[in-house]
Amino acid sequence: MNLSGTITAMVAQIREGSLSPVALVEETLDRIARVDPALRSFICLADDALGPAKAAEAKLAGGGTVGELHGIPIGIKDNYLTADMPTTAGTTAPGATFPFRDSAVAARLRASGAILIGKTRTHEYAWGTETPPVCNPWDHTRIPGGSSGGSGAAVAAGLCLAAMGSDTGGSIRIPASFCGTVGLKPTFGRISRDGIVPHSWSLDHAGPLTRSVTDAALLLGVLAGRDPADPATLAAPVEDYVAATREPSVAGLRVSVIRNHFFDNNQPDIDVAVEDAIRWFSAQGASVREVRLPNLQYGLGAIFAIELASSAAYHDLALQDGRTRHYTKDVRSLVEMGRLVSGADLLKAEQFRRLLMSDFSRVLQEADIILGPTEPVTAPPIGAATVQVGDVEESALAATWRLTYPYNLTGMPAISLPCGFDRVGLPIGLQIAARPLGEATLLRAAAAYEAAHEWKECAPRV
Amino acid sequence: MTDLWTDVIGLDLSETEQAALLESYRTVATEIAKLRSLDLTDIHPAVVFDPVLPT
């Protein structure tokens, strides 16, 4: 069985009876058993994934109505609560316990027929971009990115057809870029975060990592919608996102490229790949306009203030009783630093956020999408505290979220999809952003680019 | 006497840990100082209070 197919194709085969959900889950578990001891992308597997697979098969045989993801094995990040698998949020600190119940996303996935095959590893409390001990399937000496690194590695290595991630400063798009998958961070509030261990309430987003843009659209359609349990969720209608990807055209599309910040200092191979992509959009009839947003220079201070302060608030009891001493050194430091951010700084960051949203609003009055790189670098070596970008040596954390966090501050939807490889064969991600609730436009443009290139067909040898 | 670290900041750290944390915070402080240099007096923060009672 070829596990490199797309969900949309496999669901069609399952529905017509040419693919057995039981066989699909058996093959998936077999592949995980063979490949994952080296990658370590899963922290645990479901005790009985074959049970729901058999039920899915029986339901089909009985002629019952089946959901959009019927019989599809999907991984879920270890910061989403699940009723049948433990949640650790990536921490081994004593006293950190999480309830056995389904998060809103887990419940919606199961209701659509998906089989939750296991929990994918996260950087501790989703606070980092390395996700130890997971390896990048393209090069086991490199990080998969994070914090949804287990999801990125598992999807890229064909260990599941999709996996859920969460994104506070880039944690879906960073591993997608480093591992060569699609990663979709929808509009803030589009997917419920109920039952996801919080990191930063006004920055956290839920979203899928997949092998194709259409699969990301399919999952978004299943997961989007209002949920009273997450007060940030939006009541806006859920569009037919898959239909949008079936009209893959960019002719007449208005594209903006923000030349400062996103192109200030990138690995040269990345600039080449992204400029090629921009030229492709132009050649297909899109109008490309270059703009500058000088206020982006203040964004790092703003996201630091919000994310650090939120983190200190969420971990407040652990800070008080000393449990944070058992966190990994980097995460402990980030949580403690939240205590150094003043209330005035936090509110100023929220004021800045409004300013930045006004800036992006002006850009999007004359553009439908914004194109740029997802990452300034390809996957750094495991353990590298710093990365060399051009002539500048900077901290790996600072570099890896530089181009993704602006869309967490603004809440705009953004997707990363493969757009090439660097000179040592590591994937490069193209980032496309759109106006809030502009997912259909975003996915249509991404699908058009994907369909015209063969990056989706490239898979790591594992 | 009020202790800055335990009573104001709320962290019970050794002097070595305090120094290490401040060193780590240096980059953050630089970025927040840039943010402080902006005049945002007339801009309402993105946080909007919602007076609807939770159900």
Side-chain angles (χ1 to χ4, degrees):
Chain A
M1 185 182 297
N2 179 9
L3 280 178
S4 64
T6 62
I7 295 174
T8 27
M10 289 198 179
V11 168
Q13 290 171 41
I14 287 172
R15 284 182 174 174
E16 70 186 21
S18 61
L19 179 61
S20 149
V22 173
L24 181 57
V25 168
E26 282 176 341
E27 177 66 20
T28 301
L29 291 172
D30 179 60
R31 189 167 169 81
I32 291 171
R34 282 185 283 117
V35 173
D36 211 41
L39 283 185
R40 306 184 73 181
S41 61
F42 282 92
I43 187 165
C44 83
L45 295 175
D47 279 343
D48 181 25
L50 279 172
K54 287 173 185 165
E57 201 149 296
K59 193 170 184 183
L60 272 172
T65 308
V66 298
E68 298 94 323
L69 300 172
H70 193 77
I72 298 298
I74 286 179
I76 189 160
K77 187 177 177 180
D78 184 29
N79 61 349
Y80 285 70
L81 301 182
T82 40
D84 58 342
M85 291 178 276
T87 300
T88 75
T91 190
T92 55
T97 56
F98 302 95
F100 282 82
R101 75 163 175 94
D102 272 349
S103 52
V105 162
R108 283 200 181 214
L109 287 172
R110 291 193 214 270
S112 71
I115 294 165
L116 300 187
I117 196 104
K119 306 288 283 274
T120 51
R121 288 184 195 271
T122 171
H123 199 105
E124 187 178 30
Y125 284 113
W127 227 145
T129 60
E130 296 169 58
T131 324
V134 187
C135 303
N136 190 308
W138 292 91
D139 177 345
H140 288 196
T141 69
R142 307 271 177 161
I143 63 168
S147 61
S148 314
S151 295
V155 171
L159 306 186
C160 51
L161 293 165
M164 291 308 300
S166 62
D167 190 317
T168 304
S171 287
I172 290 171
R173 292 159 289 155
I174 295 166
S177 181
F178 286 172
C179 294
T181 74
V182 171
L184 173 63
K185 181 197 82 66
T187 306
F188 181 74
R190 185 74 292 202
I191 296 178
S192 172
R193 290 101 31 96
D194 170 56
I196 299 177
V197 178
H199 178 178
S200 184
W201 296 277
S202 71
L203 297 169
D204 292 344
H205 298 66
L209 290 95
T210 58
R211 280 193 224 130
S212 75
V213 173
T214 302
D215 284 354
L218 180 63
L219 264 79
L220 179 63
V222 166
L223 299 172
R226 173 92 178 116
D227 175 8
D230 178 353
T233 49
L234 304 167
V238 176
E239 297 177 64
D240 187 343
Y241 302 114
V242 172
T245 67
R246 291 190 177 131
E247 308 158 5
S249 168
V250 300
L253 198 71
R254 300 172 305 162
V255 175
S256 273
V257 176
I258 299 171
R259 277 297 171 194
N260 66 304
H261 189 84
F262 290 94
F263 291 87
D264 282 350
N265 187 31
N266 300 331
Q267 192 176 305
D269 295 348
I270 289 174
D271 279 338
V272 169
V274 173
E275 296 297 348
D276 280 349
I278 294 167
R279 275 193 293 276
W280 180 86
F281 275 83
S282 181
Q284 300 306 307
S287 60
V288 178
R289 179 170 165 265
E290 301 201 352
V291 296
R292 298 183 72 80
L293 288 185
N295 284 327
L296 281 167
Q297 67 182 296
Y298 304 104
L300 184 56
I303 197 153
F304 264 142
I306 298 167
E307 203 164 342
L308 292 169
S310 304
S311 198
Y314 176 73
H315 294 277
D316 187 46
L317 292 181
L319 278 168
Q320 290 183 48
D321 66 21
R323 273 181 287 133
T324 48
R325 291 183 181 279
H326 301 284
Y327 293 3
T328 51
K329 190 178 169 192
D330 59 330
V331 175
R332 176 188 169 187
S333 175
L334 289 163
V335 170
E336 288 177 347
M337 276 195 274
R339 286 283 203 187
L340 305 180
V341 176
S342 75
D345 293 333
L346 173 61
L347 281 167
K348 190 140 191 182
E350 294 290 357
Q351 288 176 292
F352 169 76
R353 218 167 166 182
R354 186 70 77 193
L355 178 72
L356 191 64
M357 290 167 81
S358 299
D359 286 353
F360 272 100
S361 175
R362 276 192 291 278
V363 170
L364 289 166
Q365 281 169 14
E366 298 183 42
D368 302 304
I369 60 167
I370 299 169
L371 280 183
T374 308
E375 280 295 311
V377 292
T378 50
I382 288 171
T386 60
V387 291
Q388 188 77 28
V389 193
D391 297 332
V392 180
E393 185 174 3
E394 58 181 315
S395 99
L397 177 63
T400 50
W401 72 336
R402 186 167 69 232
L403 309 186
T404 50
Y405 71 69
Y407 299 124
N408 294 81
L409 285 171
T410 61
M412 294 157 56
I415 193 169
S416 179
L417 69 160
C419 71
F421 293 88
D422 72 1
R423 64 196 64 191
V424 297
L426 294 170
I428 296 171
L430 174 69
Q431 184 169 223
I432 309 177
R435 63 175 52 85
L437 296 173
E439 277 87 352
T441 303
L442 177 90
L443 290 161
R444 183 179 294 116
Y449 176 83
E450 181 186 72
H453 297 82
E454 294 183 346
W455 309 124
K456 180 164 69 75
E457 314 309 325
C458 302
R461 290 198 189 111
V462 292
Chain B
M1 184 176 164
T2 304
D3 180 83
L4 175 67
W5 280 91
T6 55
D7 300 329
V8 180
I9 298 173
L11 292 175
D12 184 12
L13 302 177
S14 68
E15 285 188 12
T16 309
E17 289 171 330
Q18 290 170 9
L21 190 66
L22 287 176
E23 176 59 26
S24 299
Y25 192 67
R26 212 152 46 127
T27 311
V28 178
T30 304
E31 296 301 327
I32 288 181
K34 276 201 247 174
L35 186 65
R36 287 177 180 171
S37 73
L38 273 174
D39 180 359
L40 302 176
T41 311
D42 295 326
I43 296 180
H44 195 286
V47 180
V48 178
F49 174 67
D50 181 357
V52 176
L53 295 173
T55 52

